[in-house]
Amino acid sequence: MKTLTKIAGIEFSSCILNASGPNDTTFEELAAIAESMSSAIMMKSCTIEPRQGNDKPRYVRLPLGSIQSMGLPNLGYKEYVRFASELKKYNKPIIASVAGLCTADYIQMVKEFQKSEVDLIEVNLSCPNLEGKPQAAYDFQQTENILSKVFELGEKPIGLKLPPYYDLAQYQQMAELIIRYNVSFITCINSIGNTLIIDPETETPVIKAKSGFGGLCGDYIKPIALANVRYFYELLKDKVSIFGVGGVKSGTDVFEFLLAGADAVQIGTAFEKEGVGSFQRINEELLEIMRRKGYSSVQEVKGKLKYL
Ligand code: RRO
């Protein structure tokens, strides 16, 4: 038995891969992911120019997850175009993640990745950690403007990385845009932005940038991620593939995301804490649960949440 899945029609050898963010910025890190049991190589969100990111401390492990304000440290998109050619030999899907600082940036990067060796392109509309730059996905006008331009630049599947919280009416609005522009996949959710963890000893926030306001990740956000996956699944059904992300650290977590409607899950905080071994461990745990419950494929579990 395997946990094979498909995203936007592309085969993934399992439904478990890394999330954009931890340990996926340099070539060495990406090669380690390529050699691991992650079923794809997801790259760090990139910008036009290389960025150092925010001042440190900017990533802090917490008892139930992490808080971070990385500030988009990355090598600039041209490096990731080049890395994609070198990573091709691993024969697993390569996913670029683009995070423009303005609409023109998204267009330029999507255009170049359309000509590259990446297999899918994730348009990150939800980075919460840039001072003075609101998350694009909360501005439907800006989102539509970006979508109307990036979907005419090539044939590779394009997806959206979405923020963690909408009002129900706004989910419907976003789902309409997703269908109108033929978005191939969505990634739910980004970290919960603008949260605050205080160290009572030092009487300071634990991270430096934005007066300590950063993105919350890990166990804390799993119920929110599950709800996003579920509601988008109900709105989009099988028209759009769904990556679940947020607090996945065990096979049980994956199983829950599949029930909610995810096609695959991405591992962020658990990968940062445990390293590349996390992908195999979680996959084995998932297989054990599926065996015990008599499921023989991801497809059989997908969306099958039962109601009380
Ligand atoms: O780099 C970051 O600070 C970051 C990004 Br681009 C993102 O999309 N989500 C996040 O929590 N951090």
Side-chain angles (χ1 to χ4, degrees), residues 12 17 20 24 30 40-46 77 79-84 87 93-99 109-114 116-124 156-161 185 187 243 266:
F12 283 52
L17 60 142
S20 187
D24 62 352
L30 291 164
I41 308 166
M42 167 65 88
M43 304 200 276
K44 170 68 184 166
S45 291
C46 61
Y77 80 96
E79 283 293 89
Y80 298 102
V81 167
R82 194 168 68 76
F83 292 170
L87 293 166
I94 302 172
I95 312 173
S97 177
V98 301
M109 289 190 282
V110 169
K111 204 179 203 169
E112 294 306 316
F113 280 116
Q114 281 289 2
S116 78
E117 296 287 354
V118 306
D119 299 284
L120 304 108
I121 303 168
E122 183 182 85
V123 172
N124 183 352
K156 292 186 202 292
I158 298 181
L160 305 181
K161 177 111 180 221
F185 66 93
T187 306
F243 284 118
Q266 301 175 358

Side-chain angles (χ1 to χ4, degrees), residues 44-45 68-73 124 127-129 190-191:
K44 170 68 184 166
S45 291
Q68 47 72 34
S69 183
M70 303 304 290
L72 258 170
N124 183 352
C127 175
N129 294 332
N190 211 316
S191 67

